Amino acid sequence: MASSADITRRQSIALVAGESSGDLLGSRLLAGVRERLPEVRLYGIGGEHMMAQGFASDWPMDKLTVRGLFEVIPRYREIKGIQEALRDKLLADRPDVFVGVDYPGFNLGLEEQLKKAGIPTIHFIGPQIWAWRGWRIKKIQRAVSHMLVIFPFEENLYRQAGVPVTYVGHPLAEVIPLQPDTAGARQRLGLTGPGRVVAILPGSRMSELKQNGEGFLAAARLLRQRDAQLQFVTPMAGERQMAFFEEQIRQGGYEDLGISVIRGQSHSAMEASDAVLVASGTASLEVALYKKPMVISYKVNWASYQIMRHMAYQPWVGLPNILARDFLVPELLQHQATPQALADAMWHQLEDHAHQQRLVRRFADMHQSLLRDTSRESANAVCEVIGARRR
């Protein structure tokens, strides 16, 4: 392992995170890097969590935030322009290493060009080639100097493909406490009523709110009809998302539900909840780490769904179910995600206490399997790559 003494000149590390989950994950890596290299220059594209570590974002991260194979088409020219401008900047600057934090559609193409030009590249969070798009391993071999993976089973997969790899654990397993403080979270959020709490998480992207928001709100109304004391809390990733969701509430006539719409604080909302209605993605893993019952749902453009459905390698889409290799919690996708079906599934999560206890045990085991000192492990890998370049 290269020591800090081996890397005495001021280093520069470029990074790109394209969405809020990547921003959080990237901030954990940067915290470890700052301990090893306190004077390092950190720049590229990232969000508020990365910027809190002294990171300079050259473009707003939300310029990149879009999901779905067809949803990206209207934004393609803008996103491609950002990628090309950043590539030119990095080829001129020649940072010691480039780290792509998730966001493979953008980062792998950029990494391939940088690696070809002699700039080492690290990809933090392996693309889910074990779930779909297995052909991407060829591109990864061309683009990535070193892969950092967050699930234990991924290490052998990349090693067999000849890609240098390090399992660093999942940063969220460190951030989220092993024992959630539900009462404390409710107090922080002002959820002081006697009723049970349902967290509604339709997604952090505008496209997700457009697809999921109305159905989630309609399901909340049906749940309130079964239990008049239910309390609802919905965290929003930013001001635009909050304004859009509040408009959905007004247009749909859902003001009487008294939904507490909050800026950020998604972890507090999960921790405060009795059950969570959540869009598929990293948020579903966060809910599992908080040991909460949940229903996973998702809707995308019809054409995107058809392509993704036929390319999938396994029957699960939610990360908790993928890690367990079992349908621990319900998944309601596309046409299945009707308000009535969502409400029925959520009611079961709220009412079946034996099921809740089983989930607590399974999710606790999952938490332990993902728990590593991710900041230290990932920072060590970054410094090793930098040191190898200079030797």
Side-chain angles (χ1 to χ4, degrees):
M1 179 63 64
S3 68
S4 296
D6 295 326
I7 312 171
T8 54
R9 299 199 310 274
R10 189 184 187 213
Q11 294 80 35
S12 63
I13 301 175
L15 302 93
V16 169
E19 53 194 1
S20 57
S21 60
D23 177 41
L24 180 61
L25 295 168
S27 72
R28 298 294 296 161
L29 182 151
L30 295 184
V33 167
R34 277 288 182 207
E35 290 185 5
R36 292 286 304 273
L37 305 171
E39 301 301 319
V40 69
R41 177 192 176 202
L42 304 169
Y43 69 105
I45 303 175
E48 59 185 21
H49 294 289
M50 291 169 64
M51 287 188 279
Q53 298 293 335
F55 179 84
S57 189
D58 297 324
W59 285 268
M61 188 181 70
D62 63 8
K63 292 286 188 183
L64 305 184
T65 303
V66 62
R67 187 167 189 171
L69 299 175
F70 287 88
E71 288 82 353
V72 75
I73 291 174
R75 301 274 308 281
Y76 175 81
R77 181 173 295 181
E78 178 186 18
I79 293 172
K80 185 66 174 177
I82 292 172
Q83 185 193 54
E84 291 175 351
L86 179 59
R87 175 203 62 200
D88 292 344
K89 177 179 175 63
L90 297 180
L91 289 176
D93 289 352
R94 302 200 66 81
D96 289 277
V97 67
F98 173 82
V99 183
V101 186
D102 203 5
Y103 205 58
F106 183 98
N107 278 328
L108 286 177
L110 180 58
E111 288 161 11
E112 185 172 1
Q113 296 175 78
L114 296 178
K115 184 182 177 185
K116 186 176 181 180
I119 298 172
T121 60
I122 294 175
H123 198 85
F124 184 24
I125 302 185
Q128 295 178 359
I129 56 174
W130 36 268
W132 72 313
R133 293 184 176 183
W135 45 262
R136 268 187 167 174
I137 191 64
K138 298 295 185 183
K139 187 176 186 70
I140 291 168
Q141 290 168 334
R142 296 192 303 269
V144 177
S145 304
H146 199 101
M147 181 71 72
L148 305 182
V149 296
I150 58 175
F151 298 121
F153 65 84
E154 294 178 303
E155 193 171 24
N156 190 51
L157 186 155
Y158 284 103
R159 186 170 288 118
Q160 288 181 342
V163 178
V165 59
T166 302
Y167 170 56
V168 298
H170 203 298
L172 291 170
E174 288 184 279
V175 172
I176 295 173
L178 291 170
Q179 296 292 332
D181 179 9
T182 300
R186 290 184 183 181
Q187 186 175 13
R188 290 195 302 273
L189 297 178
L191 299 170
T192 57
R196 292 175 292 183
V197 174
V198 172
I200 300 173
L201 283 78
S204 61
R205 306 173 181 87
M206 293 297 296
S207 59
E208 291 173 325
L209 291 179
K210 292 173 184 177
Q211 292 283 1
N212 302 319
E214 171 63 26
F216 281 24
L217 287 167
R221 166 154 288 163
L222 294 171
L223 287 169
R224 175 63 68 77
Q225 291 171 3
R226 298 189 186 192
D227 182 350
Q229 290 190 315
L230 280 181
Q231 303 176 81
F232 299 102
V233 59
T234 299
M236 287 286 115
E239 295 297 332
R240 288 179 63 233
Q241 292 90 335
M242 180 177 288
F244 184 85
F245 189 69
E246 289 176 337
E247 183 62 23
Q248 285 185 313
I249 292 174
R250 284 190 293 271
Q251 289 187 358
Y254 297 107
E255 295 96 331
D256 60 307
L257 296 178
I259 298 172
S260 177
V261 184
I262 57 176
R263 171 73 164 85
Q265 304 182 82
S266 61
H267 283 193
S268 290
M270 296 173 192
E271 192 169 19
S273 70
D274 290 284
V276 183
L277 177 56
V278 60
S280 179
T282 302
S284 66
L285 179 59
E286 293 172 314
V287 175
L289 294 175
Y290 276 108
K291 326 299 186 298
K292 303 293 182 175
M294 77 188 87
V295 173
I296 298 171
S297 181
Y298 210 80
K299 287 184 177 181
V300 294
N301 170 294
W302 180 87
S304 294
Y305 177 71
Q306 294 304 315
I307 292 173
M308 294 167 69
R309 182 169 65 90
H310 289 294
M311 293 175 69
Y313 300 151
Q314 52 193 0
W316 315 281
V317 300
L319 283 170
N321 291 341
I322 289 170
L323 288 170
R325 306 198 66 75
D326 190 11
F327 283 103
L328 293 185
V329 296
E331 297 180 357
L332 296 172
L333 312 175
Q334 291 300 104
H335 62 278
Q336 298 175 333
T338 65
Q340 188 65 59
L342 293 173
D344 289 344
M346 282 296 294
W347 188 249
H348 175 73
Q349 300 299 303
L350 286 164
E351 290 288 298
D352 190 335
H353 301 296
H355 169 69
Q356 292 167 9
Q357 291 304 310
R358 286 193 296 271
L359 286 181
V360 168
R361 292 192 293 270
R362 294 294 296 273
F363 290 158
D365 291 342
M366 191 177 294
H367 200 151
Q368 290 288 351
S369 73
L370 298 176
L371 189 58
R372 298 288 187 277
D373 188 344
T374 303
S375 290
R376 181 176 61 83
E377 296 290 342
S378 57
N380 284 347
V382 169
C383 290
E384 177 65 26
V385 170
I386 293 173
R389 184 188 189 194
R390 296 194 168 191
R391 286 197 289 269

